[in-house]
Amino acid sequence: MAINSDVLVIGGGLAAITAAVSAAREGADVRLVSHKSSTLRQASGLIDALGYVPATEPAKPLRDGPPTAGRNLDRDEWPDPEGPLADPFEGIDRLPESHPYRVVGNDALREGLDLFDDLAGDAYRGGHTDRNALVPTFGGAVKPTARYPAAAEAGLASDDRPMLVVGFRSLTEYDARAFAGRLEAAGVPFDAAGAEVEFAEAFRADAKITRLAKALDHDEEIDGVPAREALAKAVAPHLHDVVDEAGGVDRVERVGFPAFLGDDRGEEVREELADRLGADVFEIPMGPPSLPGLRLEDRLFDALDAEGVRFETGNPVVGVESATDGRVETVAVDRKGRTAPYGADAFVLATGGLVGKGLDSDREGVREPVLDLHVDQPDDRYEWFVDDAFGDQPYARFGVRPDERCRPTDAEGTVQYENVFAAGGVVGGADAAREKSASGVSLATGLAAGRQAATEANQ
């Protein structure tokens, strides 16, 4: 017997959760099935909408020669992307017509962000405006983003107050001095300094970021001193490290830490550190494993539970079990080596793109492995990429191509399954890394696909 629901969502990331909540709010009985832990825990926790509009043509004509020769362009032959954009909605009309935003429309992005605001609550900022915020990130870059954790608020690059960036000698992948130097090189309107302090040395060399966060949550003693007090004492001597352009010394007004200032009690930890240091305290998003991503994952899965969505992790969908008359009836789910049929009136595919393994690739081509949907791509592999790493990479836009209802189409533009809808990174047409649009695409297409799936199920 098949395990049935009105809508079955396949995937576990932001697009899948958005689709599941959207369908549930339309009155559908929804189940979500994901293969692995959510990709949210690998992400920065920032919710980008559209930060840049990439150029899709080189600044100079292609050189003569064999088909591949014209792609061997120098970096200066590609125009820089337009941005960072102050208003993400203002740039949508300049994206290609095949871009997901153009397919689902501006309203889907706006409503997707509204849904995120509802689910994230007071843990996130940015919902009061259409404008992007500029948030410093782990690599020293300043990222235009539509929503950002409350823990990062005091670190916005639009703030001109002097900043101290704190690093830890035992966390060698996080170089605070280099971080501060890259910020100043980026032209931020404030003076910045970096300082390496001792604190994490009190823990095992292989201690995870979550271990440090829990120590601050519970204010564990370190050599007889509570963890929060110990951290503040380590940082305090550096509060006058910032040197202004005239060579004078500025007292720091805000202090940035790697994003591990507590988990369950993060706000409490930041407030106590701020009180002890006499400066605002904020977190800087780090690479994986990402504590802001883990926090967001917890909040969104709590939202699934609150909406009545049933979900299970660790059971991959491995193919179509049965289909008739252009409709999928059941899919096969691998449950510890044995397959079980899961049926639904409508299905949402939100398994991710090439990075998230929602698309497979080899020398023969790129394919969608779960439902065997068509992936639009050039037949010639040399047309998949350009030699310049900073150029417009065609493979970045690979994915299934949906119609206006988010139903994947074949090479001729014909809908493959009437009751299948696609969302997130598996949808082609966006160069999310260059555009800084991954979260926004997930929210917009997830919202649209979830609603369409609910409509299909309710017919």
Side-chain angles (χ1 to χ4, degrees):
M1 295 288 291
I3 299 171
N4 290 309
S5 54
D6 294 339
V7 174
L8 180 68
V9 178
I10 306 168
L14 183 58
I17 293 170
T18 303
V21 171
S22 298
R25 290 189 174 183
E26 296 295 319
D29 172 48
V30 183
R31 183 185 298 273
L32 181 146
V33 179
S34 66
H35 181 192
K36 300 177 181 178
S37 297
S38 170
T39 53
L40 289 165
R41 61 183 55 197
Q42 306 300 324
S44 67
L46 300 177
I47 302 298
D48 42 19
L50 183 64
Y52 297 87
V53 177
T56 56
E57 296 294 338
K60 301 178 182 179
L62 299 180
R63 295 192 287 268
D64 295 334
T68 58
R71 297 194 170 272
N72 297 324
L73 300 175
D74 296 329
R75 181 178 178 182
D76 62 1
E77 295 180 284
W78 285 96
D80 291 331
E82 178 188 345
L85 301 178
D87 180 350
F89 298 96
E90 182 269 336
I92 290 177
D93 288 343
R94 296 194 297 283
L95 295 171
E97 290 187 5
S98 59
H99 193 283
Y101 286 160
R102 298 289 299 276
V103 174
V104 299
N106 279 22
D107 287 346
L109 174 58
R110 193 177 300 278
E111 292 179 37
L113 288 168
D114 288 344
L115 176 60
F116 177 83
D117 293 339
D118 184 33
L119 300 182
D122 60 3
Y124 271 73
R125 301 287 187 266
H128 65 291
T129 177
D130 282 348
R131 296 179 67 83
N132 278 324
L134 296 175
V135 180
T137 61
F138 171 69
V142 177
K143 183 177 182 180
T145 190
R147 303 289 187 270
Y148 50 93
E153 184 173 18
L156 296 186
S158 54
D159 189 336
D160 62 1
R161 293 179 298 164
M163 174 190 294
L164 174 68
V165 179
V166 177
F168 300 89
R169 295 191 179 104
S170 61
L171 299 180
T172 55
E173 71 277 12
Y174 185 86
D175 188 329
R177 293 186 180 92
F179 178 98
R182 285 192 291 268
L183 280 179
E184 291 199 322
V188 294
F190 54 84
D191 298 313
E196 303 289 327
V197 303
E198 291 187 7
F199 172 73
E201 287 79 2
F203 301 90
R204 287 172 41 182
D206 62 348
K208 297 181 179 180
I209 292 297
T210 50
R211 174 69 185 92
L212 303 179
K214 291 299 183 185
L216 290 166
D217 266 345
H218 301 294
D219 209 12
E220 297 177 11
E221 286 198 354
I222 298 174
D223 296 329
V225 180
R228 301 174 195 176
E229 180 182 348
L231 180 54
K233 284 183 175 180
V235 173
H238 300 279
L239 293 178
H240 294 278
D241 282 2
V242 178
V243 178
D244 63 26
E245 293 181 358
V249 176
D250 289 331
R251 191 186 190 288
V252 167
E253 297 182 41
R254 50 186 177 151
V255 182
F257 293 83
F260 66 72
L261 298 182
D263 187 3
D264 300 327
R265 303 175 185 174
E267 184 176 1
E268 178 184 315
V269 172
R270 295 194 308 275
E271 287 179 353
E272 181 171 338
L273 288 173
D275 184 61
R276 289 182 177 276
L277 295 172
D280 287 341
V281 167
F282 65 94
E283 290 185 333
I284 301 169
M286 299 176 62
S290 166
L291 197 56
L294 287 166
R295 295 172 187 148
L296 179 58
E297 179 189 52
D298 288 345
R299 185 167 287 257
L300 294 181
F301 273 89
D302 285 346
L304 285 180
D305 201 31
E307 298 289 341
V309 176
R310 291 162 293 174
F311 54 89
E312 53 190 81
T313 301
N315 298 327
V317 177
V318 294
V320 175
E321 175 91 1
S322 63
T324 57
D325 299 325
R327 298 177 63 85
V328 174
E329 294 182 345
T330 58
V331 294
V333 177
D334 185 344
R335 305 181 68 176
K336 298 181 179 180
R338 300 183 64 181
T339 60
Y342 281 53
D345 296 316
F347 298 81
V348 176
L349 182 73
T351 47
L354 286 166
V355 174
K357 305 300 182 183
L359 299 174
D360 281 345
S361 65
D362 56 27
R363 296 187 63 84
E364 301 302 317
V366 180
R367 61 191 175 277
E368 188 283 304
V370 175
L371 304 181
D372 195 26
L373 301 175
H374 171 71
V375 177
D376 198 22
Q377 60 195 279
D379 293 332
D380 187 345
R381 289 187 69 252
Y382 288 105
E383 294 182 16
W384 290 9
F385 62 92
V386 297
D387 288 345
D388 178 11
F390 296 93
D392 181 56
Q393 299 291 348
Y395 67 78
R397 301 180 185 275
F398 287 178
V400 302
R401 291 301 173 93
D403 68 357
E404 69 281 356
R405 292 189 58 202
C406 296
R407 298 173 300 179
T409 60
D410 62 18
E412 285 72 44
T414 303
V415 171
Q416 290 187 259
Y417 295 110
E418 293 288 339
N419 64 334
V420 171
F421 305 87
V426 76
V427 175
D431 188 347
R434 296 181 79 213
E435 298 166 0
K436 308 304 180 205
S437 65
S439 299
V441 167
S442 291
L443 290 169
T445 57
L447 179 94
R451 286 180 175 174
Q452 293 289 345
T455 299
E456 182 71 26
N458 290 332
Q459 288 181 353

